[in-house]
Amino acid sequence: MAITSYKEKMKYLDKMMVELPQKVDPKDYRATPNVTITWLENCSGKTKIREQELISDENAHSTGFGKGVSPAHTFLAGFGFSHFTQWGRAAAVLDLEIESLEERVRGWFDRRGEYLYDLGYEHKGFEEITFAIKIAREESEEKIREFIKWADRSPPHATLRRAVRLIGIFYLNGRRLATAVYHPDRTEWR
Protein backbone atom coordinates (compact mmCIF):
# COMPACT_ATOMS: atom_id res chain seq x y z
CA MET A 1 0.00 0.00 0.00
CA ALA A 2 1.39 3.40 -0.98
CA ILE A 3 1.80 5.98 1.76
CA THR A 4 0.31 9.34 0.84
CA SER A 5 2.39 12.29 1.98
CA TYR A 6 0.74 15.23 3.64
CA LYS A 7 1.87 17.44 0.76
CA GLU A 8 -0.15 15.17 -1.53
CA LYS A 9 -3.17 15.53 0.77
CA MET A 10 -2.79 19.30 0.57
CA LYS A 11 -3.68 19.23 -3.14
CA TYR A 12 -7.24 19.14 -1.83
CA LEU A 13 -6.85 22.81 -0.84
CA ASP A 14 -5.76 23.70 -4.38
CA LYS A 15 -8.83 21.91 -5.72
CA MET A 16 -11.11 23.83 -3.31
CA MET A 17 -9.53 27.15 -4.36
CA VAL A 18 -10.77 26.44 -7.89
CA GLU A 19 -14.13 24.82 -7.12
CA LEU A 20 -15.57 26.78 -4.18
CA PRO A 21 -15.70 30.24 -5.79
CA GLN A 22 -17.98 28.75 -8.48
CA LYS A 23 -20.50 27.38 -5.96
CA VAL A 24 -23.67 29.45 -5.50
CA ASP A 25 -26.05 26.98 -3.87
CA PRO A 26 -25.48 26.80 -0.08
CA LYS A 27 -25.76 23.01 -0.11
CA ASP A 28 -22.72 22.94 -2.40
CA TYR A 29 -20.42 25.13 -0.25
CA ARG A 30 -21.57 24.49 3.33
CA ALA A 31 -19.89 22.04 5.65
CA THR A 32 -22.44 20.42 7.93
CA PRO A 33 -20.73 18.42 10.68
CA ASN A 34 -23.18 16.71 12.99
CA VAL A 35 -23.18 14.23 15.82
CA THR A 36 -25.83 12.13 17.53
CA ILE A 37 -25.45 11.75 21.27
CA THR A 38 -27.15 8.94 23.17
CA TRP A 39 -27.97 9.26 26.85
CA LEU A 40 -26.34 6.56 28.97
CA GLU A 41 -27.41 7.46 32.50
CA ASN A 42 -27.28 10.33 34.99
CA CYS A 43 -25.06 13.02 33.38
CA SER A 44 -23.38 10.79 30.81
CA GLY A 45 -23.82 10.29 27.11
CA LYS A 46 -21.90 8.83 24.19
CA THR A 47 -21.36 9.52 20.54
CA LYS A 48 -19.44 7.86 17.76
CA ILE A 49 -17.48 10.00 15.34
CA ARG A 50 -16.13 7.97 12.45
CA GLU A 51 -14.88 4.92 14.34
CA GLN A 52 -14.09 6.70 17.61
CA GLU A 53 -16.47 6.46 20.53
CA LEU A 54 -16.53 9.39 22.91
CA ILE A 55 -18.16 9.24 26.34
CA SER A 56 -18.94 12.37 28.31
CA ASP A 57 -19.70 12.57 32.01
CA GLU A 58 -19.30 15.16 34.72
CA ASN A 59 -16.58 14.83 37.33
CA ALA A 60 -17.12 12.31 40.12
CA HIS A 61 -16.76 15.07 42.72
CA SER A 62 -19.77 16.91 41.24
CA THR A 63 -22.92 15.44 39.69
CA GLY A 64 -21.28 12.77 37.52
CA PHE A 65 -19.30 9.59 37.97
CA GLY A 66 -16.23 10.48 35.91
CA LYS A 67 -16.94 7.79 33.28
CA GLY A 68 -15.80 10.10 30.49
CA VAL A 69 -14.53 13.57 29.73
CA SER A 70 -16.54 16.55 30.88
CA PRO A 71 -18.48 18.53 28.27
CA ALA A 72 -16.54 21.73 29.03
CA HIS A 73 -13.21 19.95 28.47
CA THR A 74 -14.51 18.38 25.27
CA PHE A 75 -15.60 21.82 24.06
CA LEU A 76 -12.17 23.33 24.73
CA ALA A 77 -10.36 20.33 23.22
CA GLY A 78 -12.43 20.62 20.03
CA PHE A 79 -11.47 24.28 19.80
CA GLY A 80 -7.77 23.42 20.22
CA PHE A 81 -7.91 20.51 17.79
CA SER A 82 -9.40 22.83 15.17
CA HIS A 83 -6.24 24.96 15.38
CA PHE A 84 -4.10 21.88 14.77
CA THR A 85 -6.00 21.19 11.56
CA GLN A 86 -5.22 24.69 10.31
CA TRP A 87 -1.61 24.64 11.48
CA GLY A 88 -1.02 21.28 9.80
CA ARG A 89 -2.21 22.87 6.57
CA ALA A 90 -0.16 26.02 7.20
CA ALA A 91 3.02 24.01 7.77
CA ALA A 92 2.56 22.28 4.42
CA VAL A 93 1.69 25.47 2.52
CA LEU A 94 4.54 27.47 4.10
CA ASP A 95 6.98 24.55 3.80
CA LEU A 96 7.60 24.67 7.52
CA GLU A 97 8.66 21.66 9.54
CA ILE A 98 7.56 22.06 13.14
CA GLU A 99 9.79 20.39 15.71
CA SER A 100 7.30 20.75 18.55
CA LEU A 101 3.87 22.34 18.92
CA GLU A 102 1.76 22.40 22.06
CA GLU A 103 -1.47 24.24 22.79
CA ARG A 104 -2.89 24.81 26.26
CA VAL A 105 -6.50 26.03 26.29
CA ARG A 106 -8.08 27.54 29.37
CA GLY A 107 -11.54 28.99 29.76
CA TRP A 108 -13.54 30.36 32.64
CA PHE A 109 -17.19 30.85 33.46
CA ASP A 110 -19.11 31.80 36.58
CA ARG A 111 -20.43 28.55 38.11
CA ARG A 112 -23.15 30.48 39.95
CA GLY A 113 -24.90 30.94 36.60
CA GLU A 114 -24.94 27.17 36.09
CA TYR A 115 -25.81 26.00 39.60
CA LEU A 116 -27.84 28.96 40.87
CA TYR A 117 -29.72 29.80 37.67
CA ASP A 118 -33.12 29.34 39.33
CA LEU A 119 -32.11 31.87 41.98
CA GLY A 120 -31.66 34.54 39.29
CA TYR A 121 -27.94 34.34 38.65
CA GLU A 122 -27.03 35.26 35.08
CA HIS A 123 -25.40 32.52 33.01
CA LYS A 124 -23.14 34.01 30.38
CA GLY A 125 -21.27 30.79 29.65
CA PHE A 126 -17.56 31.06 28.98
CA GLU A 127 -16.52 34.68 29.44
CA GLU A 128 -12.92 34.24 28.33
CA ILE A 129 -10.95 31.58 26.53
CA THR A 130 -7.17 31.86 26.39
CA PHE A 131 -4.92 29.58 24.43
CA ALA A 132 -1.15 29.46 24.74
CA ILE A 133 0.90 28.02 21.92
CA LYS A 134 4.48 26.81 22.32
CA ILE A 135 6.29 26.34 19.02
CA ALA A 136 9.80 24.98 18.65
CA ARG A 137 11.40 25.68 15.30
CA GLU A 138 14.44 27.49 13.99
CA GLU A 139 12.68 29.81 11.57
CA SER A 140 12.20 33.52 11.06
CA GLU A 141 9.63 35.26 13.24
CA GLU A 142 7.90 36.53 10.08
CA LYS A 143 7.31 33.00 8.82
CA ILE A 144 6.05 31.84 12.22
CA ARG A 145 3.68 34.83 12.35
CA GLU A 146 2.26 33.76 8.97
CA PHE A 147 1.91 30.24 10.36
CA ILE A 148 0.01 31.29 13.50
CA LYS A 149 -2.40 33.50 11.53
CA TRP A 150 -3.92 30.31 10.13
CA ALA A 151 -5.82 29.97 13.44
CA ASP A 152 -8.27 32.49 11.97
CA ARG A 153 -9.36 29.86 9.43
CA SER A 154 -10.69 27.50 12.10
CA PRO A 155 -14.52 27.47 12.19
CA PRO A 156 -14.66 27.11 16.01
CA HIS A 157 -12.13 29.95 16.34
CA ALA A 158 -14.14 32.18 13.98
CA THR A 159 -17.30 31.42 15.99
CA LEU A 160 -15.80 31.98 19.43
CA ARG A 161 -14.13 35.28 18.54
CA ARG A 162 -17.65 36.69 18.03
CA ALA A 163 -19.00 35.24 21.28
CA VAL A 164 -16.34 35.47 23.97
CA ARG A 165 -13.14 37.28 24.90
CA LEU A 166 -10.59 35.18 22.99
CA ILE A 167 -6.85 35.57 23.57
CA GLY A 168 -3.94 33.73 21.96
CA ILE A 169 -0.43 33.83 23.44
CA PHE A 170 2.33 32.55 21.18
CA TYR A 171 5.81 31.41 22.23
CA LEU A 172 8.63 30.59 19.85
CA ASN A 173 11.52 28.53 21.23
CA GLY A 174 10.60 29.44 24.80
CA ARG A 175 10.36 33.21 24.15
CA ARG A 176 7.09 35.12 23.98
CA LEU A 177 6.52 36.06 20.34
CA ALA A 178 3.10 37.72 20.30
CA THR A 179 -0.28 38.02 21.96
CA ALA A 180 -3.43 38.17 19.88
CA VAL A 181 -6.69 39.57 21.21
CA TYR A 182 -9.40 38.42 18.82
CA HIS A 183 -12.33 40.73 18.23
CA PRO A 184 -15.32 39.88 16.01
CA ASP A 185 -13.96 41.95 13.13
CA ARG A 186 -10.21 42.17 13.69
CA THR A 187 -7.20 40.77 15.52
CA GLU A 188 -5.25 43.07 17.83
CA TRP A 189 -1.59 42.01 17.97
CA ARG A 190 0.45 42.93 21.02
Side-chain angles (χ1 to χ4, degrees):
M1 171 157 78
I3 297 175
T4 304
S5 74
Y6 197 65
K7 288 196 183 264
E8 287 293 314
K9 297 289 289 175
M10 292 301 295
K11 289 181 181 177
Y12 178 80
L13 290 183
D14 296 332
K15 178 181 169 193
M16 291 297 102
M17 292 289 287
V18 173
E19 291 180 7
L20 281 176
Q22 300 172 30
K23 306 292 184 188
V24 293
D25 188 336
K27 72 175 177 54
D28 294 331
Y29 60 74
R30 284 186 179 149
T32 55
N34 65 79
V35 296
T36 299
I37 301 161
T38 306
W39 183 61
L40 295 175
E41 63 182 341
N42 307 312
C43 292
S44 64
K46 71 176 178 178
T47 189
K48 192 169 189 177
I49 302 169
R50 296 188 190 119
E51 296 303 313
Q52 303 297 315
E53 185 174 82
L54 178 63
I55 295 176
S56 178
D57 192 9
E58 283 293 334
N59 292 307
H61 71 270
S62 75
T63 58
F65 293 91
K67 293 180 180 180
V69 294
S70 76
H73 288 99
T74 304
F75 178 83
L76 294 175
F79 169 70
F81 282 141
S82 74
H83 285 151
F84 276 58
T85 296
Q86 298 306 324
W87 288 323
R89 293 171 180 168
V93 168
L94 298 171
D95 197 29
L96 184 68
E97 188 172 318
I98 298 297
E99 294 165 15
S100 173
L101 177 63
E102 176 184 285
E103 179 169 2
R104 177 170 288 203
V105 183
R106 182 188 72 221
W108 70 267
F109 58 89
D110 186 335
R111 292 185 308 156
R112 294 173 299 177
E114 180 181 8
Y115 295 114
L116 306 175
Y117 186 82
D118 289 340
L119 298 178
Y121 284 84
E122 184 179 14
H123 193 10
K124 297 179 183 177
F126 281 102
E127 294 187 49
E128 181 176 290
I129 296 175
T130 302
F131 60 99
I133 306 299
K134 294 179 181 178
I135 304 168
R137 174 68 185 147
E138 294 304 320
E139 189 62 71
S140 71
E141 286 188 10
E142 293 78 28
K143 196 165 187 180
I144 296 298
R145 286 177 188 274
E146 285 303 309
F147 172 80
I148 62 179
K149 286 180 183 177
W150 278 62
D152 288 348
R153 300 177 187 216
S154 151
H157 181 105
T159 301
L160 287 176
R161 73 182 299 151
R162 293 188 326 249
V164 67
R165 181 170 166 79
L166 185 60
I167 300 169
I169 304 167
F170 300 91
Y171 297 88
L172 176 59
N173 300 321
R175 188 178 56 78
R176 192 174 189 141
L177 176 65
T179 298
V181 179
Y182 298 95
H183 301 277
D185 59 345
R186 72 191 191 323
T187 302
E188 177 186 338
W189 291 96
R190 298 179 182 172

